[in-house]
Amino acid sequence: MSWTDERVETLKRMWAEGQSASQIAKELGGVTRNAVIGKVHRLGLSNRVAGGKEDEDDTPAAPATSAKPEPRPEPVARPEPAARAPERPAAPAAAPSNVTPLPLRKAIVPAGQPLPPQPSANEISPEALASVREVEKRARRLTLMELTERTCKWPIGDPATDDFWFCGLPSLPGKPYCEAHVGVAFQPMSARRDRRR
DNA sequence: CCCTGATTCGC
DNA sequence: GCGAATCAGG
């Protein structure tokens, strides 16, 4: 495979979006992450320091601290709540005027992509459920960005709160979930129709 | 171990 | 220019 304009464009776009070299390589196909990284460098778009020119001469007097303003391109938009109900009346006298600008309302979370099915109140074998509950105590609590093909992508908690993460335990080969979650995610169609009666 | 980007160097 | 091998980390 060669670096056609189109492929280079995809590379640029994804790199700008903060995708990893391996992800880009997978998307493009026919190249390895090394190829992608190599290309990125040749294109001169490796680590750009936001804000402008850096002298590329020698390094005369190195700044003590290499400031890293954390150039994380926020991948998820967080819409501002249009209107809210009457809010808490600020704390009265006792408290000092300690105005804490809390964002209150953790931001309306992502939920961007199609989420896997939730357990809900379906019929799931008690063992599977027990297994899941057990597993979720030991979940790695990964964030969306930390997921890979080999981590369980089962969402846990309420996406509208901080109490939300992904299982993250090792996923079964070829499956998006770990063993426990596969158990509740993929049910045989004949899984116990309604109980007798 | 899984992953990340950076660099080198023969092609 | 290309990218596998390697390096250096998390």
Side-chain angles (χ1 to χ4, degrees):
Chain A
M1 281 265 166
S2 58
W3 287 108
T4 62
D5 281 0
E6 190 179 330
R7 288 165 66 77
V8 170
E9 196 175 330
T10 300
L11 164 58
K12 285 180 179 174
R13 178 178 51 77
M14 292 183 73
W15 186 262
E17 286 172 3
Q19 305 264 27
S20 73
S22 61
Q23 287 178 307
I24 297 171
K26 272 186 297 183
E27 175 72 21
L28 290 172
V31 288
T32 65
R33 73 179 196 92
N34 286 307
V36 169
I37 291 173
K39 188 60 179 175
V40 162
H41 279 234
R42 265 171 257 125
L43 289 172
L45 37 74
S46 48
N47 16 300
R48 279 281 80 131
V49 176
K53 297 306 242 175
E54 293 291 334
D55 61 324
E56 59 249 345
D57 291 335
D58 45 84
T59 311
T65 49
S66 50
K68 276 212 164 178
E70 198 154 290
R72 281 284 161 220
E74 195 75 20
V76 178
R78 45 183 63 177
E80 192 70 20
R84 9 173 139 145
E87 232 41 88
R88 73 251 300 213
S97 47
N98 199 350
V99 182
T100 309
L102 283 180
L104 69 76
R105 184 118 347 182
K106 269 355 181 170
I108 300 173
V109 169
Q113 278 76 53
L115 289 176
Q118 289 286 356
S120 77
N122 270 329
E123 2 184 304
I124 298 171
S125 73
E127 309 131 14
L129 267 181
S131 177
V132 164
R133 296 203 53 175
E134 187 52 42
V135 158
E136 292 184 357
K137 292 176 188 170
R138 308 178 325 161
R140 292 179 59 202
R141 300 198 170 203
L142 297 185
T143 67
L144 183 60
M145 284 82 77
E146 291 169 323
L147 294 176
T148 73
E149 281 188 13
R150 299 191 184 194
T151 58
C152 178
K153 299 164 195 65
W154 193 270
I156 300 171
D158 186 346
T161 69
D162 259 354
D163 220 22
F164 182 68
W165 60 87
F166 292 89
C167 173
L169 293 172
S171 62
L172 260 37
K175 295 282 172 52
Y177 309 125
C178 67
E179 185 168 15
H181 286 129
V182 160
V184 295
F186 301 110
Q187 295 199 32
M189 285 205 235
S190 60
R192 49 159 69 179
R193 296 260 64 152
D194 44 349
R195 31 176 115 89
R196 70 167 94 105
R197 178 175 296 261

